[in-house]
Amino acid sequence: MNKDKRGIASNIARWSWIVFISFSLVVILIDFTVYNRLSGLRDRIETQIDKQEQAVEVEWNFQKVASNYRGYIAYGREEFHTEEENARKSFRSALPAWQTGYEGDTATSLQIARIADLAENYFSNIDKGIALKKEEQMDEINTLSQTITTPLLNQIGDEFDAIRTQQQQAIHALLKEERALSTMLIVIQVGILIGFLAIAFLLLRYIHRYVISPVLLIKKAIEEIGSGSYNVLASSNREDEIGQLTNGIVRMAVELERRDNDLNAQLRLVSEQHDELEAQNEEILAQQQEQEEILLKLTEKERQLSLINWYQQLLTGYGDMALFLQHTVPALVEVLKHDSSMVVLKNQREPGTYDILYTYGYSQSLPGERISELYGPAAKAITEKNHLRRARPLSGMERGVHAGYEFAYDDYYPLYSKEDDVTGFLLLTSYGSHTGTPHNQSVAEALVKQFSLAFFAQLAQEDRLQNAKLLAVLNDELQKEKLALQEQGELVDGILSSTQEGMIMCNGQGEVLFANRRFVELFGPVQMGTALDQDHAIADKIQHAIRGQASEFREQFSFASNSGAVRYYELYGCALNDQIHGSRYLLCFRDRTEEEKADLLKSEFVSIVSHELRTPLASVIGFIEILLHRKVTPEKQKVYMETVYKEANRLSNLINDFLDLQRIESGNLKLQLVPIDVDRFIEEVAATWQSKQSHEIRLELSERASFVKADQGQLTQVLHNLISNAIKYSPQATGIDVRVVTSGDIVRIEVQDYGLGIPEGAKDRLFDKFYRVDNTDRREIGGTGLGLAIVKEIVEAHGGRIEFTSRLGEGSTFAVTFEAYPIQSLSNRILILEDDENLHNMIAASLENDQHPSLHIETAEEAIISLAHTKGEAPLLCIVDLQLRGAKTGWDFVHSLLNHETYRTTPVIIASVLEQPADFIEKPNEKYLQKPFNVEKLLRLINNMLGEKVPGANWVLPYQDENKVKSILEDQGLQVKEWKVSEDFIACSIDPQDDE
């Protein structure tokens, strides 16, 4: 095929591909070159930022050394010294990595070397200060600080400031170079866009000249052909698609003209035949109209027979008169073609009066009214026992809302009883031209006669039903009274049987008339109708109460049961006298053994507390009195003050134990349950005991990470108490062992000592309050006997258990067992961090249809641990409440997520009742949602964050006005590439040259 015969589509496609491939190659080459340079610059910027972070870490460790040193000098607490040594180790370990990053920078390397030398000089001098502090030589410490350590600290700070300034200058230079490259990239892209527009203009001009203009001519020709003009387009000599289409339309116009002529000839022939058919059709229509009139008459007759049959079926089968009238009267009105009806019946109690029993089509207030005397056609119909019809003019509301009715026609039908007496009448009324007269008056009277017979049959049935109902009501009342008496008797029996007091009733001769279940449990079975045996435990008590013949009596007594235990009782009662049964006595026995035990325990408690409080208090008062009124040497003064301090601490610990026990027993122990890393927790507790006493605390931790859900403060108290007891009761040993053992879903903490052990006789009471083993070996060991009781209460409040094993003279092992906390993975789930159960259920229910699995966590501590142990896929989304149970908040979890090496880009929705903080800036993967919010808004936000992402969007603004946001950004010199506007925010992508 030569060039002239090439098709239009082929030419356009060929030139389009040539232009597209050429410009694509140019764009790819330019973008590759510029983006390579930008990538290199960004790597250098990240390197500089990493160096700056290393410098901050080294400086922070050094400042931590200085601050902890000063804390130790100020307060003399060992934890400051320990923290200072740890910070010094961190400083030395971080310094080589920091110096390695500046191997090619001689000046900075020399500065770092100077910092290292100055720091070591500073470390050696603060070691001297620590030694002086231990000797309490504060003047020498002040001299050392003014002459050496403070100048060194200032010099090191200047060196750090110089390095930080150099790093910031380097970062600013690299950022400036990056902005220049971004500007050049935009200029190149604008040039490419202009080239594309020029080529597109030339291509559109070619298409308009060779395609669109001929097509418009063809369109105009087709419209004229449609209007009946066929010679509107000339043949074309073009061989492409346009030429072929033009020649085809010319041929189509010739063929259409020929067919139009043929159709006109046929139309004239059809018109002549149409006139003959019209005459035949008129004759057929006349015959059809006559047949339709006959069919209407037959249909009306059939409808009337159907209504009569339906009416007759409604006359029987009703339970009461109201239903009978509601169904039969409207049916009779419809069959007889009337508009309304009224049933009037003679009152049997008041002769000469009549009651309006039922109305249909009249006012609903008429039924129930009484007519004192009948007049006119109503009285005449009853007297003559015959049907009467009267016409009357209408007035008022009877004329209808349109006032279109002038006359009414009333039909009065007498109602006959089974004795053929007239006891009422049926009134049927028609309005306007609708007279309501049926085709056969005899049919109407027969239908009314059927109604009359059914009506009186229903009245007779009503009388029978009324009598049956009256009998049923009387029977129900008798049954209710019988049931009430039975229930009252059962209630009394239940009360007497369930009461905690033993009750017995006797007559004047001492014969037992009644004894409840509790009496039998307390004193054994009794036989009704006979007096108690004389050897019975309480026979004499009963006889004494009866012989006293007092109306009321009360007595307390005790006796030993068969097991030998002494029981305490209170007897009280009263005399019941009536003329039928004579004198009877009701005696109640209340078991007050527990009250007696409580009184004894209270006395013991007061005695122990008085002794334990007075002993240290006497020492405190005595030594303070000596210090106030006598002159003592400084050495003795220090000894006395140390004794006062020790006894005051003992007194404080004793009071705290009392308060802890009271709070636990009263149910006021509030637990903040959070996951605790058991190994780390044991190490921290053990560290507070090391070097403070002569025993070594040896740790055996679990092989794998183990967590329990507990209150950290309460669990700390448990472990401190067990370690303290292990040290106190192994005075000759050199150490104790603390172990963590994990087995399945159980975590067990064991504290083992190698001391005195526990005697067999003391093991059962070891956890009782105020109980202490009393023997010679333990008399010098202090304590109140509350520690293990408190430990047991705390452990059981956590759902755990405490147990021990011990051998006298070899030591004891106390073990605390908890359920292990299962760490749940956040991978590929939607995390709902919310402590409100109802709100969590609402969010979870709204996510059910999205096919995304969700995980509910109540505390930030649990969520942080789950995040740290999650492997593989990142969480889909985190919905975080800020105010949670526990010490940590939702912000702590958000910060942990943002600092996570792998999952920092996970989308987060912060849902809180608090206002959005002023310094919080929303990002594409961080949104702030204030409570309360509706489900639709939450789901829309979740879908936006999970699915409908804006490519390259790096700004999210909490506005909905696109023009306002665009104006603000342009005022700041920022150019927006892409927009995404939602109901709650606007996401936009900023050009690289302006995005800082």
Side-chain angles (χ1 to χ4, degrees):
M1 182 182 292
N2 57 34
K3 182 177 180 181
D4 295 335
K5 293 185 179 181
R6 191 184 299 272
I8 294 174
S10 177
N11 287 332
I12 294 174
R14 178 166 59 88
W15 284 107
S16 297
W17 275 107
I18 291 172
V19 172
F20 174 75
I21 292 172
S22 300
F23 271 86
S24 296
L25 291 174
V26 172
V27 170
I28 291 171
L29 180 60
I30 292 173
D31 286 350
F32 179 77
T33 303
V34 176
Y35 278 120
N36 273 347
R37 292 186 62 188
L38 280 174
S39 178
L41 276 174
R42 287 169 181 162
D43 292 340
R44 290 165 61 192
I45 291 172
E46 290 179 0
T47 302
Q48 287 296 332
I49 292 174
D50 292 339
K51 289 179 179 180
Q52 192 174 28
E53 290 177 352
Q54 288 178 338
V56 171
E57 181 182 2
V58 173
E59 184 179 7
W60 183 80
N61 287 325
F62 179 77
Q63 293 295 338
K64 192 175 180 181
V65 172
S67 63
N68 281 287
Y69 165 69
R70 290 173 176 173
Y72 178 75
I73 295 301
Y75 301 104
R77 293 166 56 182
E78 283 298 327
E79 54 263 31
F80 286 114
H81 182 37
T82 303
E83 289 295 327
E84 179 270 324
E85 289 179 343
N86 293 335
R88 190 186 301 187
K89 291 177 183 178
S90 300
F91 173 81
R92 287 171 174 166
S93 62
L95 193 62
W98 182 36
Q99 195 168 13
T100 303
Y102 292 94
E103 292 180 350
D105 189 349
T106 306
T108 308
S109 296
L110 290 176
Q111 286 180 305
I112 296 174
R114 284 198 299 275
I115 290 173
D117 294 338
L118 292 171
E120 292 300 328
N121 189 7
Y122 178 76
F123 294 158
S124 62
N125 281 282
I126 66 175
D127 288 339
K128 296 177 182 179
I130 292 171
L132 292 172
K133 173 63 178 177
K134 292 180 178 179
E135 297 175 1
E136 295 297 331
Q137 299 181 13
M138 299 306 296
D139 294 337
E140 288 80 354
I141 292 174
N142 292 333
T143 303
L144 180 65
S145 174
Q146 294 173 1
T147 58
I148 298 176
T149 56
T150 301
L152 280 174
L153 193 62
N154 294 332
Q155 190 175 357
I156 292 171
D158 294 339
E159 292 293 339
F160 274 115
D161 291 340
I163 292 176
R164 192 185 305 107
T165 302
Q166 293 174 4
Q167 291 172 338
Q168 290 176 351
Q169 290 174 351
I171 291 173
H172 284 304
L174 291 173
L175 290 174
K176 184 176 180 181
E177 186 178 352
E178 184 189 19
R179 286 194 293 272
L181 278 176
S182 299
T183 304
M184 182 178 68
L185 179 61
I186 291 175
V187 172
I188 293 172
Q189 290 176 344
V190 170
I192 293 172
L193 180 60
I194 293 173
F196 267 117
L197 292 175
I199 294 173
F201 174 75
L202 295 175
L203 182 61
L204 289 174
R205 183 178 178 185
Y206 170 80
I207 293 173
H208 185 273
R209 181 176 179 183
Y210 290 99
V211 179
I212 296 176
S213 295
V215 169
L216 291 176
L217 290 175
I218 293 172
K219 176 177 176 294
K220 182 178 179 182
I222 292 174
E223 291 174 351
E224 292 182 358
I225 290 173
S227 62
S229 178
Y230 300 105
N231 299 320
V232 295
L233 190 65
S235 300
S236 175
N237 56 1
R238 293 176 59 171
E239 297 182 0
D240 56 10
E241 292 90 338
I242 299 296
Q244 295 173 5
L245 180 61
T246 302
N247 293 330
I249 290 174
V250 171
R251 290 192 296 272
M252 180 183 68
V254 173
E255 180 66 20
L256 287 174
E257 185 177 9
R258 182 184 65 79
R259 292 186 179 182
D260 187 38
N261 294 332
D262 293 342
L263 286 173
N264 288 332
Q266 293 178 4
L267 184 61
R268 286 192 296 272
L269 179 61
V270 169
S271 178
E272 294 174 356
Q273 296 174 352
H274 178 70
D275 295 336
E276 297 179 1
L277 292 174
E278 282 289 337
Q280 296 176 2
N281 188 42
E282 290 178 358
E283 183 178 356
I284 293 172
L285 288 175
Q287 295 175 358
Q288 184 178 359
Q289 184 175 2
E290 183 179 356
Q291 292 175 354
E292 287 179 354
E293 291 176 355
I294 296 172
L295 181 61
L296 286 174
K297 293 179 180 179
L298 292 174
T299 303
E300 178 63 22
K301 190 66 174 178
E302 182 181 359
R303 189 189 72 83
Q304 185 177 3
L305 292 175
S306 177
L307 287 175
I308 292 173
N309 183 52
W310 166 66
Y311 163 73
Q312 290 174 343
Q313 292 176 358
L314 293 176
L315 290 176
T316 58
Y318 298 99
D320 56 42
M321 179 61 73
L323 287 176
F324 171 80
L325 295 174
Q326 288 175 8
H327 288 82
T328 57
V329 173
L332 181 61
V333 170
E334 183 175 356
V335 171
L336 298 180
K337 295 184 178 181
H338 286 273
D339 295 310
S340 57
S341 177
M342 179 186 299
V343 178
V344 178
L345 189 66
K346 184 182 295 184
N347 191 309
Q348 300 298 330
R349 294 188 180 92
E350 298 181 15
T353 62
Y354 292 83
D355 294 329
I356 299 178
L357 198 63
Y358 179 78
T359 62
Y360 174 74
Y362 291 112
S363 172
Q364 296 300 315
S365 62
L366 291 176
E369 289 189 4
R370 181 160 298 174
I371 303 173
S372 60
E373 190 174 357
L374 294 180
Y375 299 94
K380 188 176 181 180
I382 291 178
T383 303
E384 297 180 357
K385 299 183 180 182
N386 198 8
H387 161 247
L388 290 177
R389 164 171 286 204
R390 292 292 184 269
R392 57 182 173 84
L394 297 178
S395 63
M397 293 304 297
E398 271 194 316
R399 300 186 56 164
V401 294
H402 48 72
Y405 298 144
E406 295 294 336
F407 295 94
Y409 298 90
D410 295 329
D411 287 279
Y412 294 86
Y413 290 94
L415 296 178
Y416 296 91
S417 65
K418 61 182 180 179
E419 292 84 7
D420 204 24
D421 294 330
V422 176
T423 59
F425 64 89
L426 174 67
L427 172 62
L428 297 174
T429 302
S430 299
Y431 298 105
S433 59
H434 176 52
T435 62
T437 56
H439 296 290
N440 192 342
Q441 183 62 37
S442 62
V443 173
E445 293 178 355
L447 294 177
V448 173
K449 185 68 173 178
Q450 291 178 354
F451 171 80
S452 179
L453 294 174
F455 174 73
F456 283 103
Q458 187 68 35
L459 279 177
Q461 184 179 355
E462 284 284 317
D463 292 337
R464 291 193 298 272
L465 291 175
Q466 190 66 27
N467 293 331
K469 287 180 181 179
L470 181 59
L471 292 174
V473 168
L474 294 174
N475 184 60
D476 288 342
E477 290 178 356
L478 290 174
Q479 293 296 329
K480 288 180 181 178
E481 290 182 3
K482 181 180 178 181
L483 183 61
L485 291 173
Q486 182 179 353
E487 290 178 350
Q488 187 175 5
E490 292 176 352
L491 179 61
V492 172
D493 291 340
I495 293 173
L496 296 177
S497 298
S498 61
T499 183
Q500 295 301 310
E501 298 177 346
M503 303 179 70
I504 186 170
M505 180 177 286
C506 301
N507 59 16
Q509 291 74 38
E511 297 174 348
V512 177
L513 303 178
F514 167 79
N516 69 345
R517 177 183 55 81
R518 181 60 175 164
F519 181 87
V520 175
E521 291 175 355
L522 293 176
F523 305 110
V526 296
Q527 186 173 0
M528 300 297 169
T530 61
L532 294 178
D533 296 335
Q534 292 300 322
D535 58 350
H536 196 279
I538 60 169
D540 58 337
K541 301 292 181 184
I542 294 177
Q543 291 297 330
H544 177 71
I546 293 174
R547 285 195 299 269
Q549 296 183 352
S551 59
E552 293 184 1
F553 42 86
R554 185 180 297 270
E555 179 185 357
Q556 292 184 356
F557 64 95
S558 64
F559 70 90
S561 62
N562 295 332
S563 62
V566 177
R567 308 292 297 181
Y568 297 87
Y569 296 95
E570 179 181 6
L571 167 62
Y572 60 92
C574 61
L576 306 175
N577 297 313
D578 60 52
Q579 297 179 354
I580 299 176
H581 299 93
S583 298
R584 291 178 297 170
Y585 299 89
L586 177 64
L587 296 89
C588 299
F589 296 84
R590 184 172 67 87
D591 189 350
R592 49 185 301 275
T593 305
E594 295 301 324
E595 295 179 11
E596 288 289 334
K597 291 182 179 179
D599 290 340
L600 292 175
L601 185 62
K602 180 179 177 181
S603 300
E604 182 181 356
F605 171 78
V606 171
S607 175
I608 293 173
V609 170
S610 299
H611 176 268
E612 294 294 339
L613 290 177
R614 286 174 178 174
T615 301
L617 192 59
S619 299
V620 170
I621 294 173
F623 281 110
I624 290 178
E625 186 177 1
I626 292 173
L627 292 173
L628 287 174
H629 300 292
R630 298 183 186 180
K631 292 183 178 181
V632 294
T633 62
E635 292 79 9
K636 288 187 177 181
Q637 184 179 5
K638 182 178 180 181
V639 172
Y640 292 167
M641 291 300 294
E642 287 177 350
T643 303
V644 170
Y645 177 74
K646 181 177 70 175
E647 293 298 323
N649 275 337
R650 177 183 170 191
L651 191 61
S652 175
N653 293 334
L654 181 63
I655 294 173
N656 288 335
D657 286 345
F658 289 154
L659 293 177
D660 287 343
L661 188 62
Q662 188 275 336
R663 186 168 60 252
I664 293 172
E665 290 183 342
S666 63
N668 293 327
L669 181 63
K670 303 298 182 182
L671 300 178
Q672 294 290 343
L673 300 179
V674 296
I676 296 176
D677 187 339
V678 178
D679 291 344
R680 183 178 178 185
F681 169 75
I682 296 295
E683 289 176 341
E684 291 175 353
V685 173
T688 62
W689 285 89
Q690 299 289 6
S691 304
K692 291 186 178 181
Q693 31 72 37
S694 59
H695 289 66
E696 178 189 2
I697 299 177
R698 298 180 292 269
L699 301 181
E700 296 180 24
L701 305 180
S702 60
E703 297 180 355
R704 57 184 176 87
S706 55
F707 292 83
V708 297
K709 197 169 184 181
D711 186 300
Q712 186 163 356
Q714 298 296 330
L715 192 58
T716 301
Q717 183 176 356
V718 168
L719 198 59
H720 276 310
N721 204 309
L722 294 179
I723 293 175
S724 174
N725 283 351
I727 293 172
K728 284 194 301 183
Y729 291 99
S730 58
Q732 306 301 324
T734 60
I736 64 172
D737 292 327
V738 180
R739 291 184 291 272
V740 178
V741 182
T742 58
S743 176
D745 58 350
I746 297 298
V747 178
R748 183 182 177 92
I749 303 173
E750 298 178 352
V751 179
Q752 182 176 4
D753 66 69
Y754 303 92
L756 303 177
I758 303 170
E760 288 296 328
K763 291 182 178 180
D764 292 339
R765 298 191 58 194
L766 195 61
F767 294 104
D768 291 350
K769 295 185 289 291
F770 305 109
Y771 179 76
R772 298 184 62 223
V773 179
D774 187 14
N775 57 32
T776 306
D777 296 334
R778 294 171 170 80
R779 286 175 184 171
E780 296 182 357
I781 300 175
T784 62
L786 291 176
L788 287 178
I790 294 174
V791 167
K792 184 173 183 293
E793 294 289 346
I794 293 175
V795 170
E796 291 179 350
H798 282 78
R801 69 177 187 275
I802 182 170
E803 53 194 7
F804 68 91
T805 58
S806 179
R807 297 186 65 179
L808 195 62
E810 296 182 7
S812 305
T813 300
F814 283 83
V816 179
T817 305
F818 298 101
E819 288 188 6
Y821 171 73
I823 301 175
Q824 304 183 76
S825 174
L826 306 182
S827 179
N828 208 23
R829 289 179 170 182
I830 294 179
L831 169 64
I832 305 174
L833 183 53
E834 173 63 61
D835 59 357
D836 186 279
E837 186 68 23
N838 293 329
L839 185 56
H840 153 254
N841 292 335
M842 185 270 288
I843 297 174
S846 65
L847 294 173
E848 287 181 352
N849 296 329
D850 292 342
Q851 305 300 319
H852 294 309
S854 63
L855 174 64
H856 177 215
I857 295 180
E858 294 184 346
T859 65
E861 288 84 354
E862 296 178 72
I864 291 172
I865 290 175
S866 295
L867 178 67
H869 288 78
T870 297
K871 307 295 182 184
E873 296 289 335
L876 297 176
L877 175 71
C878 298
I879 303 174
V880 181
D881 186 11
L882 297 182
Q883 296 177 311
L884 302 167
R885 291 195 292 268
K888 296 185 177 181
T889 67
W891 286 123
D892 296 312
F893 171 74
V894 172
H895 292 158
S896 298
L897 182 64
L898 296 178
N899 293 328
H900 197 282
E901 183 178 356
T902 307
Y903 305 147
R904 65 179 61 182
T905 58
T906 300
V908 176
I909 298 176
I910 298 174
S912 176
V913 297
L914 304 176
E915 293 285 346
Q916 180 173 328
D919 57 348
F920 181 84
I921 300 177
E922 291 196 340
K923 302 173 185 176
N925 63 337
E926 288 185 44
K927 300 289 183 285
Y928 198 100
L929 191 62
Q930 187 173 5
K931 299 178 182 177
F933 52 80
N934 56 47
V935 174
E936 290 76 12
K937 184 175 183 180
L938 175 64
L939 290 178
R940 187 164 55 249
L941 188 56
I942 291 174
N943 292 331
N944 286 334
M945 299 181 75
L946 291 182
E948 302 176 6
K949 297 187 179 296
V950 180
N954 49 14
W955 283 51
V956 175
L957 304 173
Y959 300 102
Q960 291 77 41
D961 191 340
E962 181 179 356
N963 295 328
K964 179 179 179 181
V965 173
K966 189 172 183 179
S967 175
I968 293 172
L969 295 177
E970 289 177 352
D971 290 343
Q972 300 297 322
L974 301 175
Q975 186 65 33
V976 179
K977 291 196 301 183
E978 297 183 56
W979 291 92
K980 177 174 176 58
V981 181
S982 74
E983 182 178 343
D984 304 306
F985 60 86
I986 294 178
C988 56
S989 178
I990 308 299
D991 277 342
Q993 65 175 358
D994 297 319
D995 186 7
E996 298 184 1

